[in-house]
Amino acid sequence: MFCLTKQSGVIGQLHNRLVESLRLRVLQVPVPPGATTTDARVAVLFSGGLDCTVLARLASDLLPEDQPIDLLNVAFENPRIATQHKGLSQQELYELCPDRITARKSFVELVQMCPRRQFRLVTVRFRYLVFCLDLLTDLQVNVPFTLTCDHRSEVIELIYPHQTEMDLSIASALYFAARGDGLCQTSIDSCQAQPYKTTARVLLSGLGADELFGGYTRHATSYGRRGYEGLIDELKLDMSRLGKRNLGRDDRVMAHWEKEVRFPYLDEDFVRWAMGLPVWEKCDFANPEVDGAGGSAGEGVPEPGKRILRLLAEELGMSEVAREKKRAIQFGARTAKMESGKVKGTTLISPSA
């Protein structure tokens, strides 16, 4: 029986194909207005998950060493979660967001693997200028619930004709992340983050990796019900509706901040190659996960979903990233179910709420 491993030739093919896709999207980017030649031109929408971290790692191989790469990470104040942790400060609640935890872990691996590259982990905030006792005070926050509410109607307008709670929660995370105004950390040894606003106008998104390589729970379910035939049908369905479901919505909320989002996994040549691969060379649901329990992080085989990409992450020296579980952005940043845990993603949003 075929088993996808680090020795499989398709891993090298993936590396080469993804590098070519990135080359078209990160090189020859003009210096942004008001920036210098050593300021960031490219930023990554960064949850710390597998898809975006692989992009950051490969982009580092392509860009000149004097160009930093900004990693944009967003965390939200979720009132429902806050009631479960009443003793914590607002800042501590932000640090509890799953995507903030993952981003900090993956940032460490990136810095260790690319010591000559300056990665900036930007934890997104909004800046308020407040006059108090005749002094101009800069209040630095992440995304408090009140601010989410203030921008709710604008996000709803941008995502139209999408009208569900899931659309709103996903778009809210992308909307605030794309602004790129936050606290910046450049070293894994430094505990002090400095105010920073990204100069990058080009944003890289990991969208498409799950749809191409079987990263969603429903893909494992499809395999369990109908084997690889059912999985192939599900992957084709996902790719066929990606433009209608995601691309227009995501582009509009990020273009609001004069940013251009680019999708390396959706390069036409890359998609054609990936869709032409035997499905068992992309995700390996026929073979159970070997976790290496009790051993080091580098032992065992990564889980079957997106195994081809997980094995590439291992080859790039990022064993922790290779084992990160799939997590939807609305749950990682905690934009979903802000007030009630009973709200469904398919529920239509109320513009007046």
Side-chain angles (χ1 to χ4, degrees):
M1 179 183 295
F2 177 84
C3 181
L4 189 59
T5 68
K6 284 188 286 187
Q7 286 71 44
S8 300
V10 72
I11 308 302
Q13 295 176 39
L14 171 61
H15 181 276
N16 294 337
R17 295 274 184 169
L18 196 49
V19 165
E20 286 307 307
S21 175
L22 274 165
R23 191 186 308 276
L24 296 172
R25 288 162 177 82
V26 302
L27 297 183
Q28 309 303 322
V29 175
V31 177
T36 68
T37 56
T38 56
D39 284 329
R41 307 183 195 185
V42 175
V44 181
L45 298 169
F46 192 71
S47 66
L50 174 68
D51 312 335
C52 61
T53 308
V54 167
L55 293 181
R57 171 67 179 81
L58 293 178
S60 178
D61 290 342
L62 291 169
L63 288 170
E65 288 186 354
D66 62 347
Q67 280 190 35
I69 298 175
D70 288 350
L71 310 172
L72 308 181
N73 178 262
V74 64
F76 283 71
E77 178 189 11
N78 186 310
R80 188 174 57 85
I81 301 297
T83 60
Q84 302 170 16
H85 302 277
K86 294 183 178 180
L88 297 183
S89 67
Q90 189 180 58
Q91 183 60 38
E92 289 172 326
L93 287 171
Y94 292 136
E95 292 299 317
L96 274 182
C97 282
D99 277 3
R100 180 61 51 82
I101 295 170
T102 307
R104 293 201 183 281
K105 287 170 53 182
S106 298
F107 175 66
V108 170
E109 279 201 300
L110 281 172
V111 171
Q112 290 173 341
M113 294 310 303
C114 307
R116 301 180 69 176
R117 169 73 55 195
Q118 184 182 56
F119 287 104
R120 294 185 180 126
L121 179 61
V122 184
T123 53
V124 173
R125 69 185 173 95
F126 262 66
R127 177 179 294 171
Y128 295 95
L129 296 179
V130 181
F131 285 99
C132 179
L133 300 178
D134 297 326
L135 295 176
L136 191 62
T137 306
D138 184 13
L139 304 180
Q140 301 172 22
V141 298
N142 283 283
V143 186
F145 180 62
T146 53
L147 194 62
T148 305
C149 294
D150 289 344
H151 287 257
R152 187 176 189 274
S153 60
E154 188 161 30
V155 176
I156 289 174
E157 183 176 346
L158 288 168
I159 68 175
Y160 183 82
H162 297 280
Q163 296 177 302
T164 69
E165 287 288 343
M166 183 173 68
D167 288 310
L168 179 60
S169 59
I170 293 172
S172 294
L174 296 174
Y175 173 89
F176 285 101
R179 189 171 190 258
D181 190 353
L183 299 173
C184 172
Q185 179 182 348
T186 59
S187 168
I188 59 178
D189 300 320
S190 174
C191 297
Q192 295 297 321
Q194 301 298 321
Y196 174 77
K197 185 171 183 178
T198 185
T199 53
R201 292 291 188 92
V202 171
L203 310 181
L204 297 181
S205 167
L207 182 66
D210 288 302
E211 290 80 2
L212 285 172
F213 301 125
Y216 291 119
T217 301
R218 62 177 177 269
H219 295 144
T221 302
S222 295
Y223 174 81
R225 290 174 176 170
R226 296 176 50 218
Y228 278 130
E229 182 180 355
L231 175 58
I232 290 171
D233 289 342
E234 190 70 25
L235 292 174
K236 287 181 177 178
L237 176 62
D238 279 347
M239 288 302 298
S240 70
R241 61 190 180 186
L242 191 60
K244 181 178 180 180
R245 274 192 166 190
N246 300 77
L247 292 176
R249 177 198 67 198
D250 297 355
D251 184 66
R252 288 192 297 275
V253 296
M254 289 185 273
H256 176 79
W257 301 113
E258 300 179 341
K259 304 294 172 64
E260 178 180 298
V261 58
R262 298 181 178 179
F263 305 95
Y265 292 108
L266 296 179
D267 174 88
E268 288 186 2
D269 290 337
F270 185 84
V271 169
R272 190 178 300 111
W273 168 79
M275 292 296 288
L277 286 176
V279 69
W280 49 84
E281 290 191 357
K282 299 189 290 186
C283 45
D284 200 7
F285 292 111
N287 296 288
E289 178 182 358
V290 180
D291 192 24
S296 68
E299 293 179 354
V301 178
E303 65 176 86
K306 291 190 295 190
R307 184 170 284 176
I308 183 175
L309 196 58
R310 296 180 184 281
L311 292 173
L312 175 59
E314 279 202 334
E315 283 293 292
L316 294 171
M318 302 185 297
S319 59
E320 291 284 349
V321 170
R323 284 157 178 77
E324 284 296 338
K325 300 290 185 182
K326 167 63 185 175
R327 185 190 305 115
I329 186 174
Q330 64 268 34
F331 298 112
R334 287 188 169 159
T335 54
K337 303 180 185 293
M338 281 201 162
E339 296 177 88
S340 171
K342 297 180 180 180
V343 174
K344 295 182 178 180
T346 54
T347 301
L348 293 180
I349 54 181
S350 172
S352 59

